[in-house]
Amino acid sequence: MDPLSITASIVSFLGLAVQIAGTLRDYVDGVKSAPDEVRSLLLEVTALCQVLQDWVGFYFLHKNDLNGRRFESSSVLCIEIEVCRCQLEELHGKLANLSEACSSKKLPGWVERMKWPLKKDELQQTVVQLQGFAQIFQFSMVIQNWFVHALL
């Protein structure tokens, strides 16, 4: 997989992460008794968004230096991109009713739709996974930066 394909993959689920962050922000703002874990999840999704944006910026800053660089489909970066995308899609699906409830203030069924859809342990596991994704993507930028500077 070449750096452009990796960046395109990242951009595709960056939009999803931004949507999730928006839903979480609306929930935290709208439900004053939102659990602290939801706030933690919002922080981790926001941090992941920043790291993904940094990766995209890094690529466009160094795209000429990365020409010819390839990643095997079995590389940690390629695998984690796919796992992260799947995790974000799953989280987005679980938050779908919540997103609809936050955007629509129709009273019938609103309270039921505003119920938090994740169990505490599932929420904590998701936070840990998102932290891991952010660390892997940050580390991959460090390695790529080393590679770019080694060529100079």
Side-chain angles (χ1 to χ4, degrees):
M1 193 176 228
D2 63 287
L4 177 60
S5 298
I6 288 174
T7 303
S9 295
I10 288 173
V11 167
S12 72
F13 65 82
L14 172 58
L16 193 58
V18 168
Q19 287 178 1
I20 291 168
T23 298
L24 293 171
R25 193 169 297 106
D26 289 346
Y27 183 79
V28 166
D29 291 346
V31 179
K32 299 304 176 198
S33 62
D36 288 340
E37 291 85 2
V38 177
R39 296 175 203 285
S40 294
L41 181 59
L42 172 58
L43 287 174
E44 291 308 322
V45 171
T46 303
L48 180 62
C49 287
Q50 185 60 54
V51 170
L52 296 175
Q53 289 171 345
D54 290 349
W55 172 268
V56 172
F58 174 82
Y59 170 75
F60 284 108
L61 183 64
H62 297 291
K63 66 181 175 184
N64 291 334
D65 300 322
L66 295 171
N67 281 343
R69 180 87 168 117
R70 297 200 53 81
F71 296 87
E72 296 297 321
S73 60
S74 61
S75 74
V76 171
L77 180 60
C78 292
I79 291 168
E80 288 301 305
I81 285 172
E82 183 61 22
V83 172
C84 184
R85 183 190 60 75
C86 290
Q87 178 71 30
L88 289 174
E89 286 175 354
E90 182 180 330
L91 181 59
H92 186 263
K94 289 178 181 178
L95 298 177
N97 286 342
L98 192 63
S99 176
E100 182 182 309
C102 288
S103 63
S104 168
K105 300 295 183 187
K106 295 178 184 175
L107 200 50
W110 184 78
V111 173
E112 185 63 31
R113 290 191 312 261
M114 287 299 286
K115 285 176 65 175
W116 182 248
L118 300 173
K119 295 178 182 159
K120 188 173 182 169
D121 59 332
E122 184 180 18
L123 180 66
Q124 290 171 339
Q125 181 182 4
T126 301
V127 166
V128 169
Q129 287 174 326
L130 293 175
Q131 289 171 338
F133 294 138
Q135 290 173 351
I136 288 169
F137 294 135
Q138 283 177 323
F139 186 64
S140 70
M141 280 189 291
V142 169
I143 292 172
Q144 291 307 310
N145 197 29
W146 173 83
F147 176 76
V148 167
H149 289 294
L151 292 175
L152 298 178

